[in-house]
Amino acid sequence: SGKVYDTTAPSAVVITKQSGPDGTFTITDAAMSKTQTTYNWKFTPTDSANYEETTGTVTINVIETVAPTIKITSGSNEWTATPGSITFDILSNAAVNFTIDYADEVNGSGIKDKQYFVSQKALTATELESGTWLDYNGAFSVTSEGKYVVYARATDNDGNVTVISSNGIVIDTTAPEITGVEDGKTYDGDTIVAVEDALVGIKEVKLDGKAVTLTEGKFTIKGDNAKHTITVTDNLGNTKDIEITV
């Protein structure tokens, strides 16, 4: 029996000998960093007449197990985890800007890779593995019309990985489509008009300033030998007007 203690910083480290045939001991260090740390130890026997004092070193390589954290920001929207269900209900009629913040825990191993990936749909874990990841070097914008999900991935120097995503975002800068009739043309008798906006949907349709009800995306103008103005607005406020004679 005897005492085992750290000879470098006794106040910072507790080294306790455990009972057992191999004389093992446990090192407890609350300030142990996520790097390689070497401790110098000394064993002082209680029975110094029959046992010698022994010294040695032990090197501990501490591996971090806590994954990094990520925050994706777009305007007033923030995500620190992938939404439980990705829905494309964030709508924009202009380019959408994104910033991503990556962080490792205090005294962690540090961030090795900061990456992002812009997808046009929600992806499975397998699809993400084969995705085209880009190094994140600062804020970026998504400018083209379409549906998007932004994924972010962080890898620390011990190999811990975090992947999160934004919710679905839709960019639509184009006015709705009006089919079945053309601006400035004349039509004979009752005329069927179809309207559509594939990205964000139709908000309202007006005929001569009055709202009309659609049936499967269509409505009918009764033949009355008069000019009529059709105004169609999508859910982002994009509007199209045409005038026809029926």
PDB file of all heavy atoms in Angstrom, residues 27-44:
ATOM      1  N   ILE A  27      -6.824   8.030 -13.077  1.00  0.00           N
ATOM      2  CA  ILE A  27      -6.498   9.454 -13.125  1.00  0.00           C
ATOM      3  C   ILE A  27      -7.789  10.237 -13.349  1.00  0.00           C
ATOM      4  O   ILE A  27      -8.539   9.954 -14.277  1.00  0.00           O
ATOM      5  CB  ILE A  27      -5.499   9.764 -14.259  1.00  0.00           C
ATOM      6  CG1 ILE A  27      -4.160   9.070 -13.982  1.00  0.00           C
ATOM      7  CG2 ILE A  27      -5.319  11.263 -14.421  1.00  0.00           C
ATOM      8  CD1 ILE A  27      -3.145   9.294 -15.068  1.00  0.00           C
ATOM      9  N   THR A  28      -8.049  11.209 -12.509  1.00  0.00           N
ATOM     10  CA  THR A  28      -9.205  12.087 -12.658  1.00  0.00           C
ATOM     11  C   THR A  28      -8.710  13.511 -12.822  1.00  0.00           C
ATOM     12  O   THR A  28      -8.030  14.040 -11.955  1.00  0.00           O
ATOM     13  CB  THR A  28     -10.125  11.997 -11.423  1.00  0.00           C
ATOM     14  OG1 THR A  28     -10.524  10.639 -11.254  1.00  0.00           O
ATOM     15  CG2 THR A  28     -11.347  12.877 -11.606  1.00  0.00           C
ATOM     16  N   ASP A  29      -9.057  14.110 -13.975  1.00  0.00           N
ATOM     17  CA  ASP A  29      -8.585  15.462 -14.267  1.00  0.00           C
ATOM     18  C   ASP A  29      -9.728  16.240 -14.906  1.00  0.00           C
ATOM     19  O   ASP A  29     -10.055  16.049 -16.072  1.00  0.00           O
ATOM     20  CB  ASP A  29      -7.382  15.402 -15.210  1.00  0.00           C
ATOM     21  CG  ASP A  29      -6.790  16.789 -15.463  1.00  0.00           C
ATOM     22  OD1 ASP A  29      -7.357  17.773 -14.959  1.00  0.00           O
ATOM     23  OD2 ASP A  29      -5.768  16.880 -16.165  1.00  0.00           O
ATOM     24  N   ALA A  30     -10.356  17.138 -14.135  1.00  0.00           N
ATOM     25  CA  ALA A  30     -11.489  17.900 -14.650  1.00  0.00           C
ATOM     26  C   ALA A  30     -11.079  18.847 -15.766  1.00  0.00           C
ATOM     27  O   ALA A  30     -11.896  19.251 -16.588  1.00  0.00           O
ATOM     28  CB  ALA A  30     -12.134  18.691 -13.512  1.00  0.00           C
ATOM     29  N   ALA A  31      -9.807  19.220 -15.818  1.00  0.00           N
ATOM     30  CA  ALA A  31      -9.351  20.178 -16.824  1.00  0.00           C
ATOM     31  C   ALA A  31      -8.670  19.494 -18.012  1.00  0.00           C
ATOM     32  O   ALA A  31      -8.012  20.145 -18.811  1.00  0.00           O
ATOM     33  CB  ALA A  31      -8.376  21.159 -16.183  1.00  0.00           C
ATOM     34  N   MET A  32      -8.845  18.186 -18.130  1.00  0.00           N
ATOM     35  CA  MET A  32      -8.179  17.462 -19.201  1.00  0.00           C
ATOM     36  C   MET A  32      -8.657  17.969 -20.566  1.00  0.00           C
ATOM     37  O   MET A  32      -9.847  18.036 -20.841  1.00  0.00           O
ATOM     38  CB  MET A  32      -8.471  15.961 -19.074  1.00  0.00           C
ATOM     39  CG  MET A  32      -7.675  15.094 -20.029  1.00  0.00           C
ATOM     40  SD  MET A  32      -8.070  13.335 -19.786  1.00  0.00           S
ATOM     41  CE  MET A  32      -7.381  13.052 -18.166  1.00  0.00           C
ATOM     42  N   SER A  33      -7.732  18.367 -21.422  1.00  0.00           N
ATOM     43  CA  SER A  33      -8.090  18.891 -22.735  1.00  0.00           C
ATOM     44  C   SER A  33      -8.277  17.750 -23.722  1.00  0.00           C
ATOM     45  O   SER A  33      -7.885  16.612 -23.474  1.00  0.00           O
ATOM     46  CB  SER A  33      -6.996  19.837 -23.240  1.00  0.00           C
ATOM     47  OG  SER A  33      -5.771  19.131 -23.383  1.00  0.00           O
ATOM     48  N   LYS A  34      -8.907  18.087 -24.878  1.00  0.00           N
ATOM     49  CA  LYS A  34      -9.165  17.070 -25.907  1.00  0.00           C
ATOM     50  C   LYS A  34      -7.919  16.876 -26.765  1.00  0.00           C
ATOM     51  O   LYS A  34      -7.936  16.985 -27.979  1.00  0.00           O
ATOM     52  CB  LYS A  34     -10.357  17.494 -26.759  1.00  0.00           C
ATOM     53  CG  LYS A  34     -11.606  17.815 -25.968  1.00  0.00           C
ATOM     54  CD  LYS A  34     -12.092  16.631 -25.181  1.00  0.00           C
ATOM     55  CE  LYS A  34     -13.426  16.893 -24.516  1.00  0.00           C
ATOM     56  NZ  LYS A  34     -13.412  17.956 -23.530  1.00  0.00           N
ATOM     57  N   THR A  35      -6.812  16.650 -26.120  1.00  0.00           N
ATOM     58  CA  THR A  35      -5.545  16.436 -26.815  1.00  0.00           C
ATOM     59  C   THR A  35      -4.777  15.362 -26.061  1.00  0.00           C
ATOM     60  O   THR A  35      -5.290  14.730 -25.138  1.00  0.00           O
ATOM     61  CB  THR A  35      -4.708  17.722 -26.850  1.00  0.00           C
ATOM     62  OG1 THR A  35      -4.505  18.179 -25.508  1.00  0.00           O
ATOM     63  CG2 THR A  35      -5.415  18.813 -27.652  1.00  0.00           C
ATOM     64  N   GLN A  36      -3.538  15.167 -26.444  1.00  0.00           N
ATOM     65  CA  GLN A  36      -2.707  14.189 -25.747  1.00  0.00           C
ATOM     66  C   GLN A  36      -2.106  14.850 -24.508  1.00  0.00           C
ATOM     67  O   GLN A  36      -1.534  15.931 -24.581  1.00  0.00           O
ATOM     68  CB  GLN A  36      -1.596  13.712 -26.687  1.00  0.00           C
ATOM     69  CG  GLN A  36      -0.830  12.523 -26.141  1.00  0.00           C
ATOM     70  CD  GLN A  36       0.206  12.028 -27.122  1.00  0.00           C
ATOM     71  OE1 GLN A  36       1.307  12.550 -27.203  1.00  0.00           O
ATOM     72  NE2 GLN A  36      -0.153  11.004 -27.877  1.00  0.00           N
ATOM     73  N   THR A  37      -2.259  14.196 -23.374  1.00  0.00           N
ATOM     74  CA  THR A  37      -1.752  14.730 -22.114  1.00  0.00           C
ATOM     75  C   THR A  37      -0.874  13.682 -21.428  1.00  0.00           C
ATOM     76  O   THR A  37      -1.254  12.516 -21.328  1.00  0.00           O
ATOM     77  CB  THR A  37      -2.901  15.116 -21.169  1.00  0.00           C
ATOM     78  OG1 THR A  37      -3.741  16.069 -21.828  1.00  0.00           O
ATOM     79  CG2 THR A  37      -2.370  15.717 -19.878  1.00  0.00           C
ATOM     80  N   THR A  38       0.301  14.121 -20.973  1.00  0.00           N
ATOM     81  CA  THR A  38       1.221  13.215 -20.283  1.00  0.00           C
ATOM     82  C   THR A  38       1.290  13.595 -18.808  1.00  0.00           C
ATOM     83  O   THR A  38       1.472  14.761 -18.461  1.00  0.00           O
ATOM     84  CB  THR A  38       2.629  13.291 -20.896  1.00  0.00           C
ATOM     85  OG1 THR A  38       2.567  12.885 -22.268  1.00  0.00           O
ATOM     86  CG2 THR A  38       3.594  12.379 -20.150  1.00  0.00           C
ATOM     87  N   TYR A  39       1.134  12.598 -17.943  1.00  0.00           N
ATOM     88  CA  TYR A  39       1.208  12.803 -16.491  1.00  0.00           C
ATOM     89  C   TYR A  39       2.434  12.078 -15.939  1.00  0.00           C
ATOM     90  O   TYR A  39       2.713  10.931 -16.304  1.00  0.00           O
ATOM     91  CB  TYR A  39      -0.045  12.256 -15.803  1.00  0.00           C
ATOM     92  CG  TYR A  39      -1.314  12.959 -16.223  1.00  0.00           C
ATOM     93  CD1 TYR A  39      -2.108  12.438 -17.243  1.00  0.00           C
ATOM     94  CD2 TYR A  39      -1.708  14.137 -15.598  1.00  0.00           C
ATOM     95  CE1 TYR A  39      -3.272  13.088 -17.640  1.00  0.00           C
ATOM     96  CE2 TYR A  39      -2.870  14.791 -15.980  1.00  0.00           C
ATOM     97  CZ  TYR A  39      -3.643  14.261 -17.004  1.00  0.00           C
ATOM     98  OH  TYR A  39      -4.783  14.899 -17.388  1.00  0.00           O
ATOM     99  N   ASN A  40       3.136  12.794 -15.091  1.00  0.00           N
ATOM    100  CA  ASN A  40       4.246  12.176 -14.356  1.00  0.00           C
ATOM    101  C   ASN A  40       3.727  11.761 -12.980  1.00  0.00           C
ATOM    102  O   ASN A  40       3.155  12.571 -12.268  1.00  0.00           O
ATOM    103  CB  ASN A  40       5.392  13.179 -14.186  1.00  0.00           C
ATOM    104  CG  ASN A  40       5.948  13.651 -15.507  1.00  0.00           C
ATOM    105  OD1 ASN A  40       6.318  12.834 -16.336  1.00  0.00           O
ATOM    106  ND2 ASN A  40       5.995  14.958 -15.705  1.00  0.00           N
ATOM    107  N   TRP A  41       3.889  10.492 -12.635  1.00  0.00           N
ATOM    108  CA  TRP A  41       3.362  10.023 -11.364  1.00  0.00           C
ATOM    109  C   TRP A  41       4.464   9.421 -10.497  1.00  0.00           C
ATOM    110  O   TRP A  41       5.515   9.014 -10.985  1.00  0.00           O
ATOM    111  CB  TRP A  41       2.251   9.004 -11.576  1.00  0.00           C
ATOM    112  CG  TRP A  41       2.651   7.783 -12.374  1.00  0.00           C
ATOM    113  CD1 TRP A  41       2.555   7.620 -13.715  1.00  0.00           C
ATOM    114  CD2 TRP A  41       3.224   6.576 -11.866  1.00  0.00           C
ATOM    115  NE1 TRP A  41       3.021   6.405 -14.100  1.00  0.00           N
ATOM    116  CE2 TRP A  41       3.434   5.716 -12.971  1.00  0.00           C
ATOM    117  CE3 TRP A  41       3.576   6.113 -10.602  1.00  0.00           C
ATOM    118  CZ2 TRP A  41       3.981   4.450 -12.852  1.00  0.00           C
ATOM    119  CZ3 TRP A  41       4.117   4.858 -10.467  1.00  0.00           C
ATOM    120  CH2 TRP A  41       4.320   4.032 -11.587  1.00  0.00           C
ATOM    121  N   LYS A  42       4.193   9.388  -9.206  1.00  0.00           N
ATOM    122  CA  LYS A  42       5.136   8.810  -8.251  1.00  0.00           C
ATOM    123  C   LYS A  42       4.353   7.960  -7.250  1.00  0.00           C
ATOM    124  O   LYS A  42       3.300   8.361  -6.775  1.00  0.00           O
ATOM    125  CB  LYS A  42       5.888   9.906  -7.495  1.00  0.00           C
ATOM    126  CG  LYS A  42       6.873   9.364  -6.461  1.00  0.00           C
ATOM    127  CD  LYS A  42       7.441  10.479  -5.613  1.00  0.00           C
ATOM    128  CE  LYS A  42       8.383  11.331  -6.448  1.00  0.00           C
ATOM    129  NZ  LYS A  42       9.054  12.364  -5.591  1.00  0.00           N
ATOM    130  N   PHE A  43       4.874   6.774  -6.965  1.00  0.00           N
ATOM    131  CA  PHE A  43       4.277   5.898  -5.962  1.00  0.00           C
ATOM    132  C   PHE A  43       5.189   5.863  -4.752  1.00  0.00           C
ATOM    133  O   PHE A  43       6.366   5.484  -4.827  1.00  0.00           O
ATOM    134  CB  PHE A  43       4.090   4.482  -6.500  1.00  0.00           C
ATOM    135  CG  PHE A  43       3.665   3.496  -5.450  1.00  0.00           C
ATOM    136  CD1 PHE A  43       2.399   3.571  -4.889  1.00  0.00           C
ATOM    137  CD2 PHE A  43       4.536   2.500  -5.002  1.00  0.00           C
ATOM    138  CE1 PHE A  43       2.004   2.666  -3.906  1.00  0.00           C
ATOM    139  CE2 PHE A  43       4.145   1.602  -4.020  1.00  0.00           C
ATOM    140  CZ  PHE A  43       2.879   1.676  -3.475  1.00  0.00           C
ATOM    141  N   THR A  44       4.666   6.279  -3.614  1.00  0.00           N
ATOM    142  CA  THR A  44       5.418   6.249  -2.362  1.00  0.00           C
ATOM    143  C   THR A  44       4.834   5.167  -1.468  1.00  0.00           C
ATOM    144  O   THR A  44       3.679   5.293  -1.016  1.00  0.00           O
ATOM    145  CB  THR A  44       5.343   7.603  -1.647  1.00  0.00           C
ATOM    146  OG1 THR A  44       5.837   8.623  -2.516  1.00  0.00           O
ATOM    147  CG2 THR A  44       6.155   7.582  -0.366  1.00  0.00           C
TER     148      THR A  44
END
